[in-house]
Every structure is written in structure tokens, then in C-alpha cells.
Amino acid sequence: MLAEDRLNTIVSMVQQAGSVTVPELADALGVTASTIRRDLQTLDRAHRIAKVHGGATSLERAHVTRDLTISERSDLHNDDKERICARAAALVEPESFVYIDSGSTTLRLIEHLPHLESVTYVTDSVLHAQHLAVRGMRAVVLGGELKPETEALVGPDALATLDRYNFNCGFWGSNGIAAEQGFTTPDIEEAQVKRISMRHTAKRFVISDASKFGMVAPVKFADFRDATVITAGEVPAKYRAMDNVITV
Amino acid sequence: MLAEDRLNTIVSMVQQAGSVTVPELADALGVTASTIRRDLQTLDRAHRIAKVHGGATSLERAHVTRDLTISERSDLHNDDKERICARAAALVEPESFVYIDSGSTTLRLIEHLPHLESVTYVTDSVLHAQHLAVRGMRAVVLGGELKPETEALVGPDALATLDRYNFNCGFWGSNGIAAEQGFTTPDIEEAQVKRISMRHTAKRFVISDASKFGMVAPVKFADFRDATVITAGEVPAKYRAMDNVITV
DNA sequence: GCTTGTGTGCGCGTTTATGCGCGTTAGATT
DNA sequence: AATCTAACGCGCATAAACGCGCACACAAGC
């Protein structure tokens, strides 16, 4: 088995289960724990998974709960995520100019995006841009200051660049989704980028699993009515009925 | 069997299986591992497959090791490069606004740069920005289209951003250094970025090992007198005597 | 017929991946 | 808070994979 394949297998296992332990991986792949640890280190650096004491968890699990233990292990509705991304990717039309927000959910989206020559993708994340470019897509990056934690670009340069663009459609992640408080995120600078990028986009989509409904993060970046939510899973009845919520 | 057919066969095998090892291919095609490796190199350069340690995978699966290995590829003139970078890094003063060009030599430079709170680094390379950010430096990225091969940003957005900046000092790499033809590079778009960034910089430094002297690449981005060259090793006598060449 | 160029195989020194041992560290238990 | 146990990171050894230079074979062109 190729080392590369092993890495990919680990990523799938982590994403499917939400979290796995080192011995589990070692056993499943027929290598020692040392090798697994090294693999996890590699994948962590590549932002494919989050390495934690005892094993690894998927990215958003580590992002939402700063708690870095393996103790609680629940299924992360990963099938949901896949379906959400597949549905969202199908909305990209030929000849369009598409905005991709930073974040782990939109990173997953990239794997589903169509390889159309005529489509240009613009993003505020250097990580996303690299993934797009490696997959052979036309990738444009906003300028600005690079935030090390999220690999996202913020500041006046990012905003100034956005002012020159107008997108056919765009995809954003959101930490909180609530009818009254709208779409919210923890970081004030990233919120600005989200807000301005939405203002320049015709068709706006927020992609998120059902767990974000009813949650509120510190900074609002859009009203609930400003975007269509693409989601899956146990959506509260209140939201399920709304006409800008698509449940797949 | 024609070499061309063999290449096509490899591509189909890779795409069908997802990944294959070098011995598998050598066995299936009746040639030695050396030939397979050469083929994989060719196909990798043509972006038809992704060459990885041990074999090859289809492009879709590749994104794990690839992102990192492209970057960290070191070369021959190691000792010289270290000295050049150390010397160059010492030129960065507190309170300054510094431009870092893309390229492998300038990437090495980043490891030597001082961790001054008051210094902001600007670069046209997402890779360089990531390294700067990881090391805790303030990193700003130009906007623009991302070239997959070099991870550099080019195009009107990059140039427009540069027009708003004025740097105290900057460091560039160069593929060719010649008294008459000046500093040259193979890529016309990257040459533009180099040219404009130089125009907005007070103290300009080209860092390069001695092997580039006398070489001429297709596109010129500056006159020989426009920058001070920091170099090491066997510099031709003609250049060694010049007052804008520093040999360490 | 001779030269030139390209593709292939082989040998060899170098790099990379993996497993193992050991001292250290982080969570869990009491 | 003290203690215990499992996980961890690091260094080292080994084996596989790698890249490079060279030699040879074959084809095309002068």
C-alpha cells in the first residue's frame, strides 16, 4: 500500500467516524503507531484533520469545541456533509464567477466542484486557493493580511479587491444560524470580509450542517434572509419550513 | 511497444486503480523501474497524474503530500544559500515594510528573517506567506490569480495592490543575471510582478547563487544596475569586481 | 558509413519511510 | 494535589525508493 493511499484512508476514516484513536488506525492499516503518529502530523499540517491527544478528529470538531480530547465521540453526520457539498456544487454554472469563503465546510465543497474551464473561483483563503489550483481550477486570491489560525485573508486590501468584483454565486460557512440574529461568526475581521463579499454576489448560499441552527456567534455578517441555506440532518421544524432553507 | 503508448497505459492504470506502485507498473509493462520513474516524472509535469513516493496516484487523490513536497525541495548549493540568506536577512531593519519575491531561494530566506514586531512582510507567494505566518510574522499577500506551478500570484490585481505600497527594502530571486541583459526570468507574468514590485521599493536586493551569472532567461524584469546582488561561490571575475555585487 | 540524438537499463551514492527503544508529558484516577 | 498509566516525541537503525551519470542500442539524417 502506498503511503499516499494510507493518508487518504486515514482522512476518510476520520471524517466518517468523527474521531479515531491511534491504535485503531494502526490496526486497520497494518502499520505501527509511530507511523500513524507521523501521518497524523503530516495531515494536521496540511489541514486535512486535527491531531489531538490519543488520535485525530475532523477539522470542525476541533474548531467548534476547543476541547482537544478524544473522550466524547459522536458521529459527525458526515454523510450529511457530503450530500450538502454535492448539492451546493451542482449550483455552479458554466461561465460563472464564483466566490468561496474560508472554512472547513467550504474546503470540503471544493472536492465536489465541477472542473469547468469557464469558471473562475475567488477565495479569501490561501488554503482553499491551493486546493483549487492543484485540482486544475482557475483560482484567484484576495489580497490582505494572512491570519495564521484560519489561513484567511483580512483587512483593507481584501475588502478593496472585493469592491472590484461581482460574483454570480458564492458559498459561505457560518458558525451560527438564527432567524433573528442572522448569520454569525466569532471573528470580527473575517465577518467584514464575509459581509462585503456577500454584497457583491448575486446568488448567496450558506452551507452548514443542522447543528448550527439556533446558534449565535459574536459577530453578525448577514441577515437570515440574505442567503439560501443548504443543509442536511435534523433541522428544527421552525427552519425547515422556511423557503430559503434547502434540506438534502 | 511505443513509449507514447506506455505513457497512456500508465495514465489509464492510475485512473482506474486510483493509485499504483512503481514495481507494479514495471511488471505490467515489461520495463525497468528506472523507465517507470522517468515516465511518471513526465506525466507529473504534464499534470496527467501525481507522482508520489513509491508510485503514482490520480490527481484527485493527490493533495496530501503534494502541497508540502513541492515547497521543501532543496537543491545543491546548500551551504552557499545559507550564507547568502543570513547576509540578506541582516539587512532588514526595524520598523520597515519589506517585499519578498516568490521562489525557492527567497523561501530559504524566510527562515533567517528577524522576528521583529514592527516589520511587515509582503509577498506574491501564498507559500511564502504561510511560512511567514507560521513563524509568527506579520504577513500580507498580494491578490491575484494563483499559478499552480510556482504558487505565485499574478495578474492585474497583484499589480494594482503593489501600486498602493512602498517598501523600504525587498528581496528577489532571478533565473538569469547578466550585465547587458539584466535580471531575467522565464515567465512573462511573474516578470511583471517583479518589475512593478521593484519600482515601489527603495533598497532592492537580488539573492542568488553564483551559477546564475551569465545566464539569460526569456523575460527581463530589471537592469543589472537596478539592484544589489547578494551571492556566494564561484562568481566570474567580471562580476565580482562590480560594486553592486556582494559575495559572502 | 558516420554522426547525432533519443530511449532504456544498470550501478551507485543519497534520501526517505518505517519500526523500535527510551525518556518525557499529558490526562485520568484517587 | 499526588500518583499512575498511556500516549507522545525523538533519535537511531535499516531497508526501500530515489535521482543521477554512464553505457549501450537503435533510428534518423548528413
Side-chain angles (χ1 to χ4, degrees), chain B residues 47-64:
Chain B
H47 293 99
R48 297 183 62 187
I49 56 145
K51 185 179 181 306
V52 296
H53 191 88
T57 71
S58 63
L59 287 174
E60 286 72 34
R61 294 206 193 176
H63 319 299
V64 183

Side-chain angles (χ1 to χ4, degrees), chain B residues 124-167:
Chain B
D124 66 329
S125 157
V126 295
L127 192 61
H128 289 48
Q130 286 174 318
H131 280 245
L132 285 163
V134 166
R135 293 175 62 84
M137 290 135 157
R138 199 179 163 82
V140 172
V141 190
L142 301 182
E145 187 177 340
L146 182 63
K147 297 193 77 122
E149 318 88 51
T150 55
E151 308 232 14
L153 298 165
V154 296
D157 275 314
L159 303 178
T161 309
L162 281 171
D163 262 335
R164 292 201 297 275
Y165 289 150
N166 290 291
F167 306 104

Side-chain angles (χ1 to χ4, degrees), chain A residues 144-155:
Chain A
E145 187 177 341
L146 182 63
K147 296 193 76 121
E149 318 87 53
T150 55
E151 306 234 12
L153 298 166
V154 296

Side-chain angles (χ1 to χ4, degrees), chain A residues 142-177:
Chain A
L142 301 183
E145 187 177 341
L146 182 63
K147 296 193 76 121
E149 318 87 53
T150 55
E151 306 234 12
L153 298 166
V154 296
D157 275 314
L159 303 177
T161 308
L162 281 171
D163 262 335
R164 293 200 297 275
Y165 290 149
N166 290 292
F167 307 104
N168 299 100
C169 72
F171 301 93
W172 288 264
S174 183
N175 290 65
I177 303 176

Side-chain angles (χ1 to χ4, degrees), chain A residues 4 7 42-48 107 126-135 151, chain B residues 44 50-52 59-73 107 126-128 130-131 146 148-151:
Chain A
E4 190 76 19
L7 293 173
T42 307
L43 292 168
D44 183 69
R45 276 204 267 268
H47 295 93
R48 300 276 312 256
L107 191 59
V126 294
L127 191 61
H128 290 49
Q130 287 175 318
H131 276 88
L132 286 163
V134 169
R135 290 176 66 83
E151 306 234 12
Chain B
D44 182 75
K51 185 179 181 306
V52 296
L59 287 174
E60 286 72 34
R61 294 206 193 176
H63 319 299
V64 183
T65 349
R66 216 146 197 281
D67 298 357
L68 298 170
T69 48
I70 289 174
S71 47
E72 315 293 344
R73 211 151 271 173
L107 190 60
V126 295
L127 192 61
H128 289 48
Q130 286 174 318
H131 280 245
L146 182 63
E149 318 88 51
T150 55
E151 308 232 14

